Amino acid sequence: MAKNQQALGKQWKTWLDESAPRLLAYARARCNNAQEAEDLLQDALIKLWAYQEEREHRPPDLPLAFSVMRYLGLDHGRKKGRQEKRNQKIIQFQKGEDHWLDPTMEDSEEAEILRQEVESLPDKLREVLTLKIWGGLTFAEIGELLAISNNTAASRYRYALEQLQKKLKHLKNSLHG
Amino acid sequence: MDDSLKKLESQLEGLVPRSQSESGRERCHELIDELIAGKPSAAERSPIGLSWISGAAAASVALSLGLGAGWYLGKDESTPSVSRINQVEQVIAADFDRLDHETWMLNSESPGVYLSKNGEVRELLQETEVTKEIVKHRESGVIITVETTDHHVIDSVKTDF
């Protein structure tokens, strides 16, 4: 019994280590700072543990984990007050710190610009982009998660890419004449 | 998707999401140990004090409609999934057939320019996402066009003058 518990604990911890950066990147869109996103992840763990009871408490699939993070985030956002959140988010961007994509991993000016521009995308576009690129979900899974059609998910994704491309081009032209 | 967008996609994949902090990771590992050991305090603990299932507006809608969203009412004991979580929206949507659906973005309005605290000149742009759905109410056969608009605020550094 104790051996089984130990093995299960190891499975969950491995799952968490692999999934946490993706889930945190998604949570950051709905939280004011890294600490709140980590709290949200902790809360999601509790919910996911309860959900997985009928699956012998196996670690969950990523789409279910994102879904729980989303609903917890919505609830969290409602409680905090949307206006307050928006104001703080703008201040956070102005400070140019506390990013949710790791700046230490970047090795080029373009990557730095790209990270900043991703963080300033509109919420809905960034949400789909995050789920697709870093969450590894399909458009069908994103559609199901956000309760939108696959086509809407795909068009938001494409629009996010186009908007980033436009901004990058514009910035490069300005920087390099 | 053209090559330049595919290249951008690859660049984005190269950006790495920030990892959990060491303290956050430790807290989560402790929590996992407590959950596995069946400590009741672990299941009750909520760092941000959420009660999302009972408090969710969506759940209230389902209950007030009396349409038997089994999972929320505890009638269905099977395993929750993404689709279960979205069940409330599906219950409402179940009365309608979607005939057509379209989404498009409207161009930005004139940006508002301001000076930030750290001396950057920034601009606030407004973009509008319009979604148009044509649905048919199954029982009455009435066709309804639902148009929703979402306004996105983009805050970015102004680079051209």
Side-chain angles (χ1 to χ4, degrees):
Chain A
M1 186 67 181
K3 220 173 190 178
N4 286 347
Q5 285 190 349
Q6 216 173 12
L8 191 60
K10 201 175 170 188
Q11 277 177 34
W12 273 83
K13 286 169 191 172
T14 306
W15 175 85
L16 182 77
D17 291 343
E18 285 169 5
S19 312
R22 298 168 172 201
L23 295 170
L24 284 174
Y26 180 66
R28 287 302 308 275
R30 301 196 174 275
C31 297
N32 293 328
N33 55 51
Q35 184 57 53
E36 277 184 21
E38 296 213 4
D39 286 350
L40 205 69
L41 177 62
Q42 206 177 321
D43 220 54
L45 264 184
I46 298 169
K47 303 289 179 204
L48 287 166
W49 173 261
Y51 283 168
Q52 293 300 91
E53 190 178 352
E54 291 179 18
R55 291 177 185 160
E56 297 164 338
H57 286 302
R58 284 196 302 272
D61 295 335
L62 261 183
L64 177 63
F66 276 116
S67 184
V68 168
M69 291 293 280
R70 178 169 186 261
Y71 275 82
L72 289 174
L74 287 171
D75 198 58
H76 178 58
R78 244 192 331 263
K79 282 183 180 164
K80 292 283 284 185
R82 208 166 162 71
Q83 187 60 44
E84 182 199 15
K85 185 184 167 195
R86 195 178 298 137
N87 291 344
Q88 289 190 10
K89 198 186 280 180
I90 288 171
I91 291 166
Q92 177 188 316
F93 287 142
Q94 286 172 358
K95 280 182 182 169
E97 56 193 29
D98 194 20
H99 299 290
W100 47 271
L101 292 170
D102 196 342
T104 60
M105 304 297 283
E106 289 157 11
D107 55 1
S108 73
E109 178 192 47
E110 195 161 312
E112 164 69 17
I113 293 169
L114 195 55
R115 176 179 56 74
Q116 285 173 4
E117 292 305 329
V118 168
E119 291 183 9
S120 63
L121 277 175
D123 286 349
K124 283 194 170 184
L125 302 186
R126 191 174 64 239
E127 186 171 40
V128 172
L129 191 81
T130 308
L131 289 169
K132 182 80 174 75
I133 299 274
W134 298 288
L137 301 191
T138 63
F139 288 128
E141 287 169 335
I142 295 170
E144 192 178 11
L145 175 68
L146 304 179
I148 55 176
S149 72
N150 299 359
N151 285 342
T152 303
S155 62
R156 281 187 196 174
Y157 178 70
R158 191 186 171 83
Y159 190 74
L161 287 181
E162 285 171 355
Q163 200 172 93
L164 284 174
Q165 191 182 42
K166 205 166 87 182
K167 285 185 177 178
L168 278 180
K169 201 173 169 184
H170 186 70
L171 278 171
K172 269 195 241 170
N173 287 343
S174 314
L175 287 171
H176 304 296
Chain B
M1 199 184 292
D2 63 32
D3 285 348
S4 61
L5 286 186
K6 279 183 185 159
K7 190 185 163 206
L8 178 60
E9 209 174 24
S10 305
Q11 282 179 292
L12 286 167
E13 281 162 1
L15 296 178
V16 182
R18 179 165 272 187
S19 305
Q20 230 178 335
S21 68
E22 202 48 49
S23 62
R25 186 170 174 270
E26 271 174 31
R27 278 202 310 274
C28 283
H29 281 203
E30 276 171 25
L31 180 61
I32 288 170
D33 290 336
E34 287 178 21
L35 287 166
I36 288 173
K39 285 188 185 170
S41 59
E44 285 161 14
R45 189 167 68 190
S46 169
I48 47 180
L50 300 172
S51 56
W52 68 288
I53 292 178
S54 60
S60 310
V61 171
L63 290 168
S64 64
L65 287 173
L67 291 174
W71 180 56
Y72 287 101
L73 299 172
K75 288 176 186 168
D76 186 345
E77 296 297 325
S78 60
T79 309
S81 65
V82 174
S83 55
R84 287 292 174 89
I85 289 170
N86 289 334
Q87 192 172 358
V88 176
E89 288 164 52
Q90 287 168 7
V91 165
I92 298 164
D95 286 347
F96 297 91
D97 286 324
R98 180 149 63 176
L99 304 179
D100 196 15
H101 175 262
E102 200 181 353
T103 303
W104 67 94
M105 308 292 292
L106 296 176
N107 283 337
S108 310
E109 291 172 12
S110 306
V113 180
Y114 69 97
L115 189 67
S116 70
K117 281 180 184 172
N118 59 1
E120 278 179 339
V121 179
R122 302 184 69 90
E123 59 185 358
L124 281 171
L125 292 158
Q126 282 234 344
E127 288 187 349
T128 309
E129 182 182 4
V130 186
T131 305
K132 188 176 171 184
E133 282 182 295
I134 301 172
V135 295
K136 184 179 177 183
H137 189 248
R138 285 209 183 114
E139 209 175 305
S140 62
V142 173
I143 292 176
I144 306 164
T145 301
V146 184
E147 196 169 297
T148 50
T149 53
D150 289 299
H151 299 278
H152 304 298
V153 178
I154 302 163
D155 180 37
S156 58
V157 178
K158 184 168 172 58
T159 51
D160 58 327
F161 297 94

